[in-house]
Amino acid sequence: MMLNWDVVHESEDSGPSVVGLISTPGMGKLLAEAPLVLEPEKQAVLHGAHKGVLPEVSSVLLSDVISAFMSNKDTQNLSSPITFIFSHHSVTPGPRQKVFCVFWEHSLDGYGHWSTTGCRMVTTEDTSTTCQCTHLSSFAVLMAHYDVQEKDPGLAVITYLGLGLSLLCLLLASLTFLLCKTIQNT
């Protein structure tokens, strides 16, 4: 964790300042089904990048969950971002995958979800990801898998040829029944 020390001293307390990190390995099993809520800007970027429908997002926790705290009481809107470097398994995101820096956001009903608000990914490599966040909470790195339904030009051509052939056969069948007097009775 890289932290501007002035951020810690911004509190109104005149006593000693405390900063800490708690790592909780193995949380991936407990949070496997936790939803991911993306900021509208990140959703728009993904929709534009994939040019398709993103009906469902499933995610995999890549790193350990790290909780950061400090003695400053206002940890939600820090004057300078805090930088975290997460180590994770060797991963190269594919075309339908994206790495996100996320934090755990508690909800009033006792549950929660992963959120990207206030966090951004600076860089990602095979075995590490650097994130910056403007608040403190419990952080992690997720890889989101998207079920992208892209338009396939080959399928469009086959569809239009099939429809055209079907209409032609329907027209020929109608003309046959109209012009052949012997089949009209049966």
Side-chain angles (χ1 to χ4, degrees):
M1 178 173 89
M2 290 183 282
L3 165 69
N4 182 346
W5 198 246
D6 293 336
V7 172
V8 178
H9 289 296
E10 288 175 359
S11 78
E12 296 160 7
D13 298 337
S14 60
S17 298
V18 176
V19 175
L21 286 175
I22 299 174
S23 175
T24 49
M27 289 293 284
K29 293 175 186 170
L30 293 174
L31 301 172
E33 301 296 321
L36 170 62
V37 177
L38 298 174
E39 294 174 276
E41 300 85 32
K42 291 181 181 165
Q43 286 178 357
V45 167
L46 289 173
H47 283 286
H50 294 296
K51 293 183 177 64
V53 182
L54 299 173
E56 187 165 323
V57 178
S58 62
S59 58
V60 175
L61 193 63
L62 292 182
S63 69
D64 291 341
V65 177
I66 305 292
S67 298
F69 62 90
M70 66 180 174
S71 57
N72 185 346
K73 291 180 183 156
D74 182 23
T75 60
Q76 294 306 309
N77 297 310
L78 302 175
S79 58
S80 66
I82 295 175
T83 304
F84 298 95
I85 300 174
F86 291 92
S87 296
H88 50 73
H89 306 294
S90 181
V91 170
T92 304
R96 296 179 185 204
Q97 300 171 333
K98 185 153 176 65
V99 175
F100 287 104
C101 296
V102 295
F103 75 98
W104 186 254
E105 187 169 21
H106 297 280
S107 58
L108 296 176
D109 59 2
Y111 297 101
H113 60 270
W114 292 112
S115 178
T116 59
T117 306
C119 290
R120 70 178 188 91
M121 183 185 61
V122 179
T123 60
T124 188
E125 297 171 5
D126 285 344
T127 58
S128 68
T129 300
T130 303
C131 303
Q132 283 188 337
C133 297
T134 57
H135 53 81
L136 294 182
S137 181
S138 295
F139 302 98
V141 176
L142 291 180
M143 172 149 349
H145 303 272
Y146 298 95
D147 296 329
V148 181
Q149 299 170 352
E150 296 180 13
K151 295 178 183 174
D152 186 7
L155 280 174
V157 169
I158 292 171
T159 301
Y160 290 127
L161 282 175
L163 287 173
L165 186 62
S166 296
L167 287 174
L168 178 65
C169 290
L170 180 63
L171 178 67
L172 289 175
S174 299
L175 286 175
T176 302
F177 284 117
L178 284 174
L179 297 177
C180 292
K181 302 285 182 195
T182 56
I183 357 181
Q184 288 180 354
N185 292 340
T186 48

